[in-house]
Amino acid sequence: VAAPHDAEIRKDVQTYYGQVLKKSADLKTNACVTTARPVSKHIQEALQNVHEEVALRYYGCGLVIPEHLENCQILDLGSGGGRDCYVLSQLVGEKGHVTGIDMTKGQVEVAEKYLDYHMEKYGFQASNVTFIHGYIEKLGEAGIKNKSYDIVVSNCVINLVPDKQQVLQEAYRVLKVRRRLYFSDVYTSLELPEEIRTHKVLWGECLGGALYWKELAILAQKIGFCPPRLVTANLITIRNKELERVIGDCRFVSATFRLFKCSKTGPTKRCQVIYNGGITGHEKELMFDANFTFKEGEIVEVDEETAAILKNSRFAQDFLIRPIGEKLPTSGSHWSLIWLRKKSFQVF
């Protein structure tokens, strides 16, 4: 049973997204507005094919469209009005499937309204999208089985749930081995004071429940994920004087991470890797994370952890990987936290 505090937060969030917000223009900060950055042509086309009402009800803070989507089974945690699900459903193709789960009934109803519209728009014989009304920290109650998805995505929603560890634990459970969670969320530069953590509007705006950024690596590795790999990060600006006063010196970023469900086997040495190219939309260049952008045919030296991820994930087919016999001076959680500190949040 949820604690009264958690139940109250849940109710406030449902009210905010079910009744207060009718479209993205109603937001009071830019936390839930995706920063424009270049996207490949096939993603642009997929975004343009989404129905206008669904697009208007988008409240995400990133672009949760990873690579290698063809024929995948994808789960979207906190799918809202369905925009990301419908983009992903076009990219996975008719043999793939996308499931969206959201706790706000009104949002799920909007998403379900356009199942046939998108099926016909994409020229599919049957819809490859399912929407579920349920809680992202209780996927078992929604009937979602162990190791049933290739990719789990989430766009600015985990911050709205009081128990982040439970959400990540559930995502880990439903992912197949060597698969990944690819998600955008909001993080803070400081441990949040009570005044921010209990502020209803700041919770609804994805700030009041934001995770202190150092906690992500600790939680992820506690559950069994590889250390988080930052893809992008953007500083959030607050466009509201009253909210700025409440926030004070605290700073927020929206950040996109890859979290891989680790395999127990893999290279134990640094490696040289060559990207073969050819991934749809990333034929010549693959931005893996803030540290590594791989260009087709170029030799890149990577640490043991990156080599293990590349070898034991869907990326294995896209790389030539060769050990070079040099071990990292340090490894494990200590190293990952140093990496996060140096690389992840230079925006703070």
Side-chain angles (χ1 to χ4, degrees), residues 263-276:
S263 164
K264 300 303 174 195
T265 59
T268 56
K269 297 179 179 179
R270 295 176 73 90
C271 288
Q272 286 185 331
V273 303
I274 299 175
Y275 175 45
N276 299 326

Side-chain angles (χ1 to χ4, degrees), residues 45-62:
E45 288 170 358
L47 285 163
Q48 286 162 6
N49 283 335
V50 174
H51 191 279
E52 186 183 16
E53 186 183 354
V54 171
L56 277 172
R57 286 175 172 263
Y58 168 71
Y59 310 117
C61 67

Side-chain angles (χ1 to χ4, degrees), residues 7-23 57 59 76-82 100-113 131-137 142 155-157 160-161 203-204 206:
E8 191 181 323
I9 287 170
R10 206 181 263 164
K11 189 178 174 187
D12 289 342
V13 170
Q14 284 173 315
T15 301
Y16 202 71
Y17 283 85
Q19 296 168 35
V20 177
L21 298 180
K22 299 299 181 190
K23 54 190 184 301
R57 286 175 172 263
Y59 310 117
D76 183 2
L77 303 177
S79 50
I101 179 167
D102 199 277
M103 71 172 183
T104 306
K105 203 166 192 300
Q107 293 274 65
V108 174
E109 286 167 357
V110 168
E112 286 183 326
K113 199 160 91 176
F131 291 104
I132 300 170
H133 180 224
Y135 299 108
I136 66 172
E137 69 273 43
N155 199 338
C156 205
V157 175
L160 296 171
V161 180
W203 260 96
C206 304

